[in-house]
């Protein structure tokens, strides 16, 4: 029997390894973009996260030398702060997140996590420290339970269920005939955008990384899913350093700091009230969005 079971166990092992590897990537759209040129330094150490403080120092970046994208970015996200990035489409918000993940290296300047230049640490340790909730979450052809579980394969059944509860997915799960065992993904049940984002939040809750990155969906969700996502995020973000790419300003009015980007530069930063008082680009974006919301809600 040994001979029969060995290969099966081995296949199971390979399958878990592959899913484990994906757990550190999560964001497939970033993956597809990835240039293979980023290598670990031969003598690199693992990142040591003590507080989760992030610092961008005079960062310049271009994908191609003839087209600068980010110019002289300087900002700090203090430990435990929730910071939002806002700005027009193409301003460079997602690029900033890709640099923090080190899918690309900066052209000038440096990015530090707890004082360590991210080019000096292993990529594996860097990505282990960060959890991302992307706009469009990739689901595997597996059960809903396993889709959350893979984020931390050594988690117990109770821990997975708790993550699902904290992500405000419990009611959804209870509405399904097969509950946690419902097959999802390409060949299974199709989840709505809001449900998929909550699966991503459940994964992050299970993984418990010190740094959280949230890419708010551009497509509008119904206000019920949006409310559920926001309160789920609040519970995860507590005590963690988090960076939110926000499209709807109403979701980030209580952020500790808001970075306003325009054409690859930070043109303003401050709290919601400070930025309104400054009456600059943010105040204009806010007015436009308030008007749009009034037009859709009669
Ligand atoms: P949006 O709100 O629309 O998502 P954004 O602020 O996140 O926009 P980025 O995606 O960071 O903007 O893009 C900034 C600029 O970089 C854009 O002009 C874009 O065309 C360019 N860009 C993004 N990815 C690449 C890439 N892989 N290669 C070349 N140029 C790129």
């Amino acid at each position: 029997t040994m001979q029969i079971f060995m290969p099966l166990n081995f296949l199971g092992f390979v399958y878990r390894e592959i899913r484990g590897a994906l757990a550190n990537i999560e964001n497939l759209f970033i993956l597809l973009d990835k240039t293979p040129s980023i290598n670990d330094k031969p003598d690199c150490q693992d990142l040591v996260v003590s507080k989760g403080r992030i610092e961008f120092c005079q960062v310049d970046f271009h994908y191609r030398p003839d087209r600068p994208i980010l110019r002289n970015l300087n900002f700090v996200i203090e430990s435990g702060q929730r910071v939002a990035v806002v700005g027009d489409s193409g301003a460079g918000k997602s690029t900033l997140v890709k640099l923090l993940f080190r899918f690309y290296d900066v052209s000038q300047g440096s990015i530090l996590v707890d004082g360590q230049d991210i080019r000096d640490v292993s990529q594996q340790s860097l990505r282990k420290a960060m959890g991302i909730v992307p706009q469009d979450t990739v689901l595997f052809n597996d059960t809903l339970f396993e889709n959350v579980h893979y984020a931390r394969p050594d988690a117990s059944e109770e821990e997975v269920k708790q993550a699902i509860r904290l992500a405000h997915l419990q009611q959804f799960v209870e509405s399904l005939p097969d509950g946690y065992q419902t097959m999802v993904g390409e060949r299974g049940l199709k989840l709505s955008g809001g449900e998929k984002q909550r699966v991503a939040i459940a994964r992050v809750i299970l993984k418990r990384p010190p740094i959280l990155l949230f890419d708010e969906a551009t497509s509008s969700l119904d206000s019920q899913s949006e409310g559920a996502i926001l309160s789920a995020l609040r519970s995860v973000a507590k005590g963690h350093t988090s960076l939110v790419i926000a499209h709807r300003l109403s979701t980030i009015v209580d952020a500790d700091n808001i970075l306003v980007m325009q054409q690859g530069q930070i043109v303003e930063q401050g709290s919601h009230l400070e930025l309104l008082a400054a009456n600059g680009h943010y105040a204009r974006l806010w007015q436009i969005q308030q008007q749009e919301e009034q037009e859709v809600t009669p």
Side-chain angles (χ1 to χ4, degrees):
T1 51
M2 207 40 202
Q3 274 161 327
I4 298 168
F5 281 113
M6 273 269 286
L8 287 179
N9 278 337
F10 181 68
L11 277 183
F13 168 75
V14 170
Y15 178 57
R16 282 191 299 275
E17 282 298 296
I18 292 171
R19 287 198 313 179
L22 282 168
N24 290 328
I25 298 162
E26 282 159 17
N27 202 344
L28 219 55
F29 85 86
I30 286 182
L31 175 71
L32 298 173
D33 235 13
K34 181 171 161 41
T35 45
S37 59
I38 305 293
N39 293 310
D40 280 352
K41 278 192 180 169
D43 56 348
C44 70
Q45 305 282 313
D46 280 348
L47 175 73
V48 180
V49 186
S50 48
K51 301 191 163 93
R53 180 181 192 269
I54 297 168
E55 187 169 2
F56 275 58
C57 304
Q58 301 183 325
V59 168
D60 285 355
F61 178 71
H62 54 74
Y63 291 99
R64 292 175 12 185
D66 57 349
R67 189 157 173 252
I69 301 289
L70 300 180
R71 278 169 299 159
N72 196 31
L73 284 199
N74 286 293
F75 65 87
V76 173
I77 307 180
E78 293 295 349
S79 165
Q81 271 191 344
R82 181 160 165 268
V83 170
V85 189
V86 304
D88 304 326
S89 177
K93 305 180 294 294
S94 317
T95 300
L96 195 151
V97 169
K98 290 182 204 169
L99 292 181
L100 190 54
F101 256 81
R102 207 176 163 223
F103 284 116
Y104 301 91
D105 272 335
V106 297
S107 315
Q108 289 289 330
S110 54
I111 301 172
L112 309 177
V113 175
D114 283 337
Q116 301 146 86
D117 190 314
I118 62 172
R119 285 169 296 199
D120 296 338
V121 302
S122 69
Q123 291 171 73
Q124 203 204 0
S125 65
L126 178 69
R127 289 178 197 152
K128 214 174 125 193
M130 295 191 246
I132 183 160
V133 179
Q135 275 197 33
D136 200 13
T137 300
V138 178
L139 297 178
F140 301 107
N141 287 308
D142 207 328
T143 61
L144 185 64
F145 183 91
E146 283 303 323
N147 263 280
V148 175
H149 191 198
Y150 92 98
R152 189 160 61 84
D154 66 349
S156 69
E157 181 178 336
E158 191 39 50
E159 285 174 313
V160 175
K161 288 183 174 172
Q162 192 193 353
I164 289 172
R165 272 197 303 276
L166 289 172
H168 293 253
L169 267 175
Q170 186 67 21
Q171 240 188 332
F172 171 68
V173 171
E174 281 164 9
S175 75
L176 303 170
D178 294 330
Y180 293 107
Q181 299 311 318
T182 304
M183 293 299 289
V184 296
E186 280 295 296
R187 283 181 266 130
L189 181 76
K190 298 276 178 294
L191 268 54
S192 75
E195 287 151 3
K196 280 203 276 188
Q197 270 209 324
R198 276 178 283 160
V199 170
I201 293 171
R203 288 170 174 172
V204 163
I205 291 174
L206 199 62
K207 187 178 163 188
R208 291 181 302 213
I211 297 168
L212 296 173
L213 308 169
F214 179 67
D215 194 355
E216 186 182 76
T218 31
S219 55
S220 56
L221 302 163
D222 59 88
S223 55
Q224 203 186 342
S225 325
E226 171 137 7
I229 288 170
L230 279 180
S231 45
L233 269 181
R234 295 254 146 80
S235 46
V236 207
K238 220 167 268 163
H240 293 254
T241 303
S242 62
L243 181 67
V244 183
I245 298 180
H247 299 284
R248 283 179 301 283
L249 304 183
S250 55
T251 61
I252 48 112
V253 289
D254 60 346
D256 296 304
N257 195 25
I258 300 168
L259 309 172
V260 185
M261 289 189 72
Q262 226 177 346
Q263 293 170 6
Q265 286 181 298
I266 295 176
V267 291
E268 294 177 305
Q269 58 176 302
S271 69
H272 173 72
L273 290 177
E274 285 163 359
L275 290 169
L276 283 188
N279 205 20
H281 191 59
Y282 181 87
R284 272 196 302 282
L285 287 176
W286 177 255
Q287 273 157 13
I288 293 167
Q289 290 202 359
Q290 291 293 97
Q291 269 162 14
E292 280 170 0
E293 273 170 36
Q294 273 159 18
E295 278 158 24
V296 288
T297 43

